[in-house]
Amino acid sequence: MTDKPRIFGIAGWKNSGKTGLAVRLVEEFTRRGYRISTIKHAHHDFDIDKVGADSFRHRQAGAHEVAIVSGTRFAIMHELRGAPEPSFEEILSRIAPCDLVLIEGYKREPVPKIEARRLEANKREPLAPTDPWIKAIAADHGVKETDLPVFDLDDTAAIADFIIAVTGLPQRR
């Protein structure tokens, strides 16, 4: 592990298979002995708290940050309260040391990434032709017009091997 982790992203349109691929990759890398963290970018409002919970009430009262801590996990919720969304770099700086940070979303961020494509995606316009950071495509269908490596969306082991090669992550098995 290093203080500056390797970063690799998964980009694609809604319903393109990004989350499923991210989950399978976390499982695969963890099985291989890597310590993995993830960052998921949401384009909509979200809440991880429950209405009526003590922490929810703290936030509703105006707390800037609320930390929930137990013997098994902790979470810190930070209310923006009209402030701009933090930059990718600001969020990355809050991640504890790990081997690899997998990014889901952040389509336009300048990090190496794989484009997920599914026939059932909401949009099917390819991202790769206009994004030099896309290093490969993972699809549930044939992809012809590209010079990039193309993987089956479900071939998690091969995609993990590719990410290891691209990021320079030391081999483990």
Side-chain angles (χ1 to χ4, degrees):
M1 279 186 300
T2 63
D3 287 339
K4 183 128 172 88
R6 289 161 171 85
I7 302 166
F8 197 88
I10 303 167
W13 300 110
K14 185 175 180 176
N15 295 327
S16 63
K18 296 183 306 293
T19 300
L21 178 57
V23 168
R24 290 189 308 274
L25 284 169
V26 169
E27 291 170 344
E28 178 70 16
F29 282 120
T30 301
R31 184 186 64 71
R32 295 184 188 191
Y34 294 102
R35 187 170 182 178
I36 305 300
S37 293
T38 65
I39 299 174
K40 159 79 171 137
H41 187 261
H43 288 285
H44 51 80
D45 191 19
F46 70 93
D47 203 335
I48 61 170
D49 213 355
K50 294 180 186 148
V51 174
D54 293 348
S55 54
F56 183 88
R57 294 175 61 205
H58 294 185
R59 287 175 38 228
Q60 290 299 102
H64 178 66
E65 286 191 331
V66 176
I68 305 172
V69 183
S70 76
T72 55
R73 72 187 54 87
F74 74 90
I76 299 175
M77 290 173 285
H78 181 99
E79 291 294 319
L80 293 175
R81 305 222 186 274
E85 179 180 312
S87 71
F88 173 74
E89 289 298 325
E90 288 176 274
I91 296 301
L92 189 60
S93 73
R94 291 178 164 244
I95 298 291
C98 63
D99 296 309
L100 176 70
V101 177
L102 276 177
I103 310 301
E104 181 185 340
Y106 285 103
K107 272 196 267 317
R108 307 292 178 216
E109 203 59 43
V111 298
K113 59 187 86 109
I114 190 165
E115 179 181 352
R117 295 183 187 176
R118 283 183 51 213
L119 289 173
E120 288 129 26
N122 285 22
K123 287 175 84 173
R124 303 232 335 250
E125 175 188 338
L127 299 172
T130 59
D131 185 346
W133 291 95
I134 293 178
K135 305 300 180 191
I137 298 166
D140 69 353
H141 58 280
V143 175
K144 300 241 188 281
E145 289 93 29
T146 186
D147 293 330
L148 297 173
V150 177
F151 296 92
D152 183 292
L153 188 58
D154 293 324
D155 194 350
T156 309
I159 295 169
D161 290 341
F162 178 79
I163 292 170
I164 288 168
V166 168
T167 62
L169 204 57
Q171 283 284 349
R172 293 192 187 148
R173 288 262 180 196

